[in-house]
Amino acid sequence: MKEHMLSPPKPHQNYSQLVALLESRGLIIPDRERAERKLSQIGYYRLSGFWFPCREVKKDVSGVGILHPGTKQPIRKDSFQPGTDFNKIVQLYLFDKRLRLLMLDAIERVEIHIRSVIAHEVGYHDPLAYMNDSFINPRKLKTWTDKKTKKERNLWKEWHAKQQIAINRSKEDCIKWHKIKKKAIPFWVAVESWDFGTLSKYYSMLKGKYQGRICSRLGINNKMILENWLHEINILRNRCAHHTRIWNQSSNNPLPVLNLPYFEKLSLEKRALERVYGMICILWFLVKKIGPSSTWLHSASQLINSKPSIDCCPYTAMGFPDNTGFPDIDNFS
């Protein structure tokens, strides 16, 4: 879009003006100086994602909330619901930060373990299997035309090229040693250059028999479900790594679950599988397979129960079945 076609941006406002604006909209600000400091540290629009659920809903003449035609979400006014406190919003922001760090802790364990499993199970057949398309599902080797860009694409070639760039850029000592010695880099070394996206895409391209061997190491009886989990975990990992709010985020693709007693006992509803509670359940399933003595779930339970109490930001927004907090962890055995 050409610049002369753009509407003018909102005028710049300093922190004092922003605090006054929020107060005029009904936000309770106990300490104006602290509020200005927090806006300078965090940013108005980053915090706005946390107070958004506390803005009043537009209603029609009959008192029914008006939904946005595209998203089917309530259309919000600028004004806040009575009792909304700026300090509680900041507490929610800090809670979300701790939640992101906790999720990254579990994701790191999962990523490193599955990388190792893939390198072992596929590298057993060929130390350079990651460069060999004979391990790849033939459907993933086909070249096709992207309908949007009209460009030709090939998933295997794209993955292979990006992975080679990652190896070339890697500063890992084990990779540098192989380069210095002019030795071919075996699978179990190459994976040290992988990120979660590289891992996820490689698994999705593998032939079914290799996917099956990886799944069996994780106690998973459905290859497609693991593919879906890895895709969604990668999305969450990227949100966490880029400091993006996760506590009440929802997905358009509910997580699938396995036909196993663990999931049957949890009886997860669709809402849970679209939100962070479902992801906690999936990550715990994987983490306890990797490390049976892990206390990660206890940490998750304690953190969730520390969420600041804000009427417009309930536990159900995280996918939990009610607003009493984290369910009894005995249900997760």
Side-chain angles (χ1 to χ4, degrees):
M1 184 179 292
K2 295 181 180 179
E3 289 187 12
H4 70 271
M5 297 176 65
L6 297 173
S7 59
K10 292 182 179 180
H12 177 271
Q13 299 190 68
N14 61 34
Y15 301 123
S16 178
Q17 290 172 319
L18 291 172
V19 169
L21 176 65
L22 291 170
E23 281 187 314
S24 73
R25 294 175 174 177
L27 183 62
I28 298 171
I29 300 182
D31 185 336
R32 287 179 58 91
E33 186 175 321
R34 180 176 187 270
E36 289 182 27
R37 187 168 65 252
K38 291 303 174 185
L39 288 177
S40 73
Q41 293 170 345
I42 302 168
Y44 180 94
Y45 276 98
R46 180 172 291 275
L47 273 179
S48 71
F50 292 88
W51 67 55
F52 181 81
C54 300
R55 286 165 52 180
E56 293 184 309
V57 174
K58 286 187 177 181
K59 298 179 180 179
D60 59 24
V61 292
S62 62
V64 177
I66 302 173
L67 302 181
H68 190 283
T71 63
K72 302 301 180 183
Q73 296 297 316
I75 296 176
R76 303 279 178 172
K77 299 180 181 179
D78 287 333
S79 56
F80 288 92
Q81 297 177 31
T84 305
D85 189 305
F86 179 86
N87 287 346
K88 285 290 185 71
I89 298 299
V90 173
Q91 290 174 20
L92 183 64
Y93 169 81
L94 295 174
F95 165 79
D96 187 75
K97 177 181 178 179
R98 292 191 292 271
L99 181 62
R100 282 184 272 116
L101 292 172
L102 183 74
M103 300 301 271
L104 282 173
D105 177 47
I107 291 170
E108 178 186 345
R109 300 183 198 194
V110 171
E111 177 180 349
I112 291 174
H113 181 71
I114 296 182
R115 276 189 346 198
S116 175
V117 169
I118 289 175
H120 186 273
E121 295 298 331
V122 185
Y124 166 82
H125 302 279
D126 178 1
L128 297 177
Y130 65 95
M131 301 173 66
N132 188 340
D133 65 11
S134 67
F135 293 89
I136 303 301
N137 186 319
R139 291 187 293 108
K140 306 294 184 178
L141 298 174
K142 294 180 179 179
T143 298
W144 49 282
T145 301
D146 189 302
K147 292 181 179 180
K148 291 183 179 180
T149 64
K150 308 301 181 183
K151 294 181 179 180
E152 287 194 345
R153 296 193 58 189
N154 183 295
L155 295 179
W156 162 250
K157 289 181 179 178
E158 290 174 10
W159 181 90
H160 187 269
K162 288 181 180 179
Q163 194 242 196
Q164 192 58 52
I165 291 172
I167 290 176
N168 292 341
R169 291 177 175 174
S170 177
K171 303 299 182 183
E172 292 289 339
D173 288 342
C174 55
I175 292 178
K176 288 166 65 177
W177 183 88
H178 279 78
K179 290 178 182 177
I180 292 169
K181 296 295 183 179
K182 299 189 183 303
K183 289 180 174 289
I185 300 174
F187 208 145
W188 45 93
V189 175
V191 292
E192 294 301 316
S193 71
W194 289 15
D195 58 21
F196 207 104
T198 305
L199 177 159
S200 173
K201 289 175 182 176
Y202 185 75
Y203 173 85
S204 72
M205 292 189 299
L206 280 173
K207 288 180 176 177
K209 62 180 180 180
Y210 302 113
Q211 291 180 334
R213 289 170 184 166
I214 293 161
C215 284
S216 66
R217 291 278 302 274
L218 297 165
I220 294 174
N221 56 15
N222 187 307
K223 294 173 286 189
M224 292 302 295
I225 284 182
L226 178 58
E227 180 177 340
N228 180 282
W229 285 1
L230 294 178
H231 176 74
E232 294 299 322
I233 292 172
N234 184 48
I235 292 174
L236 175 63
R237 183 260 172 208
N238 290 339
R239 293 189 69 85
C240 292
H242 292 94
H243 325 301
T244 305
R245 172 174 46 88
I246 66 168
W247 81 273
N248 65 341
Q249 284 293 311
S250 62
S251 170
N252 294 326
N253 302 305
L255 288 159
V257 294
L258 297 165
N259 184 23
L260 293 174
Y262 170 84
F263 291 103
E264 292 172 0
K265 190 175 182 181
L266 290 175
S267 300
L268 298 171
E269 297 180 351
K270 180 174 179 288
R271 182 179 182 82
L273 295 169
E274 293 173 337
R275 296 175 181 266
V276 72
Y277 174 44
M279 185 57 77
I280 289 173
C281 296
I282 299 299
L283 285 173
W284 177 238
F285 175 85
L286 294 169
V287 167
K288 71 174 184 171
K289 289 287 183 182
I290 298 167
S293 63
S294 171
T295 59
W296 183 83
L297 187 67
H298 289 80
S299 298
S301 174
Q302 292 172 2
L303 176 60
I304 297 299
N305 289 331
S306 74
K307 185 183 78 66
S309 177
I310 304 174
D311 290 342
C312 49
C313 300
Y315 281 110
T316 52
M318 302 179 73
F320 290 102
D322 53 45
N323 289 315
T324 59
F326 201 89
D328 187 345
I329 61 174
D330 289 338
N331 295 331
F332 294 78
S333 58

